[in-house]
């Protein structure tokens, strides 16, 4: 596994959300394309994240792919228990 180092200045903008929380309600967060959300709904999504000093895992993705596909992939990779948390 490759680990990257985050520069100190990046810590000022580094935010994260636990995988379990992102998969809550069967991955509703992953299924909602931000471009299709109201400004208030996007702010609510942003507020679910919090400042962190490190990330255990960084998940890169595109909103062009299906949110359902992303949710299924994450569930299969991480375990079904995350969907009900």
């Amino acid at each position: 596994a490759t680990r990257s180092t985050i520069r100190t200045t990046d810590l000022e903008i580094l935010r994260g959300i636990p995988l379990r929380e992102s998969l809550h309600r069967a991955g509703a967060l992953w299924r909602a394309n931000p471009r299709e959300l109201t400004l208030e709904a996007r702010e609510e999504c942003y507020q679910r994240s919090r400042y962190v000093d490190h990330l255990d895992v960084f998940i890169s993705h595109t909103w062009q792919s299906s949110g359902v596909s992303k949710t299924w992939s994450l569930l299969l990779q991480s375990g079904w228990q995350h969907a009900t948390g």
Side-chain angles (χ1 to χ4, degrees):
T2 303
R3 286 188 83 87
S4 298
T5 304
I6 298 172
R7 295 186 313 256
T8 305
T9 55
D10 293 341
L11 291 176
E12 297 171 2
I13 60 171
L14 185 64
R15 294 179 70 92
I17 182 172
L19 180 59
R20 176 187 280 289
E21 192 174 324
S22 80
L23 291 171
H24 185 70
R25 296 183 326 162
L29 183 67
W30 292 102
R31 292 182 283 124
N33 186 326
R35 289 180 294 197
E36 298 170 2
L37 297 176
T38 65
L39 183 59
E40 293 80 19
R42 284 185 291 197
E43 177 65 23
E44 185 177 316
C45 286
Y46 178 80
Q47 291 303 323
R48 291 179 68 181
S49 70
R50 49 195 155 278
Y51 288 106
V52 295
D53 60 6
H54 74 281
L55 298 172
D56 294 329
V57 176
F58 175 80
I59 300 173
S60 179
H61 69 96
T62 175
W63 288 111
Q64 293 178 0
S65 62
S66 162
V68 172
S69 297
K70 285 184 267 216
T71 300
W72 277 108
S73 177
L74 289 168
L75 287 171
L76 289 171
Q77 292 285 327
S78 66
W80 295 98
Q81 70 275 14
H82 290 304
T84 59

